Amino acid sequence: MIRNDPDTTVRHMQTFLGGHTADEVRAHYDTFIAPHFTTDGQADLTVGAAAITAVAAELGVPATVTAAEFYRTAATTP
């Protein structure tokens, strides 16, 4: 949904970015959200790994989780 239906994603984002115009939310989506997901809607694990490493370094803590562990990449059954 994130990449294949950007209009729905933007509408959802606007519900929690309520002070922003639709154009501002779309610009945020285009810049900060869409580039970090594959075309099938999965998180880009390379980008995720870099983000986890960067945040851990900024906080001064070890990166103890991998992107594959953090981002669900397959459906789970109950």
Side-chain angles (χ1 to χ4, degrees):
M1 175 169 110
I2 288 174
R3 287 290 300 267
N4 292 338
D5 189 1
D7 293 335
T8 298
T9 303
V10 168
R11 278 195 310 278
H12 287 295
M13 289 174 59
Q14 195 162 19
T15 65
F16 58 87
L17 296 175
H20 295 76
T21 68
D23 288 340
E24 290 169 332
V25 174
R26 184 55 178 248
H28 180 88
Y29 165 82
D30 290 340
T31 303
F32 299 108
I33 307 297
H36 306 294
F37 287 85
T38 62
T39 54
D40 65 354
Q42 298 295 315
D44 183 324
L45 296 182
T46 301
V47 172
I52 289 168
T53 300
V55 170
E58 185 173 323
L59 296 174
V61 299
T64 59
V65 65
T66 67
E69 293 167 330
F70 186 81
Y71 293 101
R72 186 176 76 176
T73 58
T76 57
T77 55

